[in-house]
Amino acid sequence: MSKLDVKRLRLLVFQGAVVLFLMSGCVSRPDRLEYALEFAGKNRVELEKVLEHYHYKGDTMKYRAACFLIENMPRWYSYDGWQLDTLHALLGRQLAGILRESDRMWHGFDYHTLEKVYDARVITSDYLIRNIEMSFREWQERPWNRTLPFEDFCELILPYRIGNERLTEWRTLYRSYYGRLLDSLYTGSDVLEACKIINDELARQDCRYCVDWNVPHHDAIHLFHTRIGYCRENSDLIQYAMRSCGIPVAADFMPYSPDYRYSHEWNVVRDTTGKYIQFGYDGIDPLRNNTQSDGRKKGKVFRYCFAMQKEREETSNAAGWNTGGMEGKYWKDVTSGYFGENEAVVGLSANVNSPVGLAVFSTGGWKVIGEGIRKSGNRVCFRNIEPSIIYMPVTLDSNVHPAGYPFMLCRDGHVEEFVPDTVNQEKVVLSRKMALIPRVAAWGYSQIGARIEGDVNVDFGNPKLIAEIKDTIDYTFAMFESSCHVPVKYVRYVPPFGLTQIAELRMYDDSEMEREIKLSPVTDLPYIENVTDGNILSHLYRKTGTVSSPLVFELDRPSRIEKVYYIPRTDDNYVWKGDVYELFYNDGVNGWKSLGTRTASGKDIIFSAPKNALLWLRDKTKGNEEQVFIYRNNRQWFNSDFL
């Protein structure tokens, strides 16, 4: 018998000796562990070295941790290829503001075409052992982890990766920065206090928002030095920093927003009470006594996990499928942690035989966000969903099709279905095609107190008031009569303290607004050209703290200004005069039915529609942001309007 065979025999004997102990409290199963070792192929020897290392040390707890990582390893991989090096360089150039026009050719690159490199086939024993040792040190030495169960430690501190990023030795780098900071500022046992210190530092460092590049998760070291991306990168940074300091955190997400048109991800920290508290993104602090929310409607919420989730397998078996496919089995359904346990039972149309999903609206078709479990009598049950959201039961064959009528689970627990009453019609007066979500509504009042001033000199030694924003801008644009009756050569926009959010500023020397005065930026700021580019969807966003930082523009000629056309940051989803609109109502399995086409003559548009119908207003002239609504009490009700 070879030395390797002897080692394997010893390992198997040790595995058999601890099986009963492992099964009593660890998620490890010998069959999954053996599958992972077989999956590793030639790299099996590296994984066995880790198990042998903790066997000979007699460290059963770390052996369990090694089992946890290895048995779930076949699911995890990274993408690799020279293209990623190029994309990382482009991100760095974008962050520095030195992109070339030729760089934009990479915007449409699909990283899914790159090679998948599976962890089990390349990871080394040294890497895994270092990860386990450093994780255990933080778990065992941090006072707030004294009551953190082993199973939670495995998910919230131990994992060596987050997504499909390249593997890196990240713990030392993050621990050396954030750990030293934490150690210098806090030695107590409150995990939320520790979390807030790191969270404040991450917020100070910032992560620039950018969705221009289609890339997998950034590797941890690249992300440490190049902080750019969207909510995912922000979330990843938080997890790396927190876990390196022994702070138990995870990432929660919604598959598709009932309000917006995207998925979204944020972070949670496990309190010593066992409760998970949202923090991080959108400036949310981890607070124990406050129920916080980012204001987004969510529908369904899942948590990314390193291990396959048993309850997801059970749901998949009961429903006949599961959201997210194979990767979805590594998600934990945590919707009840946000909205409590509940269920909505709705009827299905006749002849629905396929599995049923829970869906929310998108302009490209219904987006599936959860599973339904069939009941007798051609009914389906949706468990643990956010109340006061408009959903649709859908079939899941080759395409997604309605399986019944839209419905809502109300706060009191009853289900309301939106079956159109085509006999009884009502007049509907519509002013928007998309929900006025809270953060968009805030754009309309964030600039109250701003002033527009003019002068003949660029230093504004004798400024003249042209216009002042005294109230909420409750539409896409606002027009002001000028208060200045003398010619000026320069104008400046003076925002209120703290924040600048402006899309367009235009000046006219006639009251009919036929003769526009060209403005050229004098202030040297990134994106200041957005204020005069004629595109109302581009904007300048700038935080200025307690300083009011004016934006100065030069007129192409000294002029007496008669009229100001002002557009704050806007989503441009109000009804727009001259645009052509079509209204639809939903007829269940029969789909969307048109109620006709109209051209808007003002800030709203009028149609006749069936009562109790789910409606959808389409702008056929421009734009792609639209959302469904119902009409009650003489107004539109989008998802974000329901409490």
Side-chain angles (χ1 to χ4, degrees), residues 32 53 73 82 100 125 187 229 238 296 329 350 353 374 392 401 408 447 460 474 478 500 523 546 558 586 624 631 637:
R32 290 190 60 202
H53 174 78
M73 205 173 284
W82 63 267
R100 300 185 296 261
S125 56
T187 57
I238 288 172
R296 292 175 171 88
K329 292 187 177 181
N353 299 315
R374 298 293 293 268
M392 175 69 83
H401 298 289
M408 175 186 292
Q447 300 300 277
F460 282 82
D474 59 0
T500 301
T523 305
T546 58
N586 187 271
N624 54 23
Y631 198 80
W637 292 83

Side-chain angles (χ1 to χ4, degrees), residues 554-572:
E554 182 178 8
L555 279 62
D556 61 353
R557 61 189 185 279
S559 303
R560 174 176 167 173
I561 296 169
E562 293 289 339
K563 209 73 170 282
V564 176
Y565 184 84
Y566 168 76
I567 304 179
R569 184 180 178 185
T570 179
D571 64 357
D572 192 31

Side-chain angles (χ1 to χ4, degrees), residues 518-585:
K518 182 179 179 181
L519 302 180
S520 299
V522 174
T523 305
D524 185 15
L525 279 177
Y527 305 109
I528 193 170
E529 66 276 5
N530 290 349
V531 181
T532 57
D533 64 358
N535 180 2
I536 67 175
L537 290 178
S538 67
H539 63 273
L540 175 64
Y541 175 84
R542 187 184 184 209
K543 292 181 179 179
T544 57
T546 58
V547 178
S548 180
S549 184
L551 309 177
V552 179
F553 303 88
E554 182 178 8
L555 279 62
D556 61 353
R557 61 189 185 279
S559 303
R560 174 176 167 173
I561 296 169
E562 293 289 339
K563 209 73 170 282
V564 176
Y565 184 84
Y566 168 76
I567 304 179
R569 184 180 178 185
T570 179
D571 64 357
D572 192 31
N573 287 320
Y574 291 97
V575 167
W576 190 274
K577 182 180 179 180
D579 280 9
V580 178
Y581 294 87
E582 186 172 10
L583 183 64
F584 296 86
Y585 75 93

Side-chain angles (χ1 to χ4, degrees), residues 76-93:
W76 296 100
Y77 58 85
S78 58
Y79 285 100
D80 199 18
W82 63 267
Q83 296 90 339
L84 293 184
D85 296 323
T86 299
L87 287 166
H88 282 172
L90 295 179
L91 286 163
R93 291 210 287 271

Side-chain angles (χ1 to χ4, degrees), residues 233-244:
E233 276 63 49
N234 214 309
S235 170
D236 288 357
L237 265 171
I238 288 172
Q239 289 177 85
Y240 288 129
M242 297 292 176
R243 289 176 176 179
S244 74

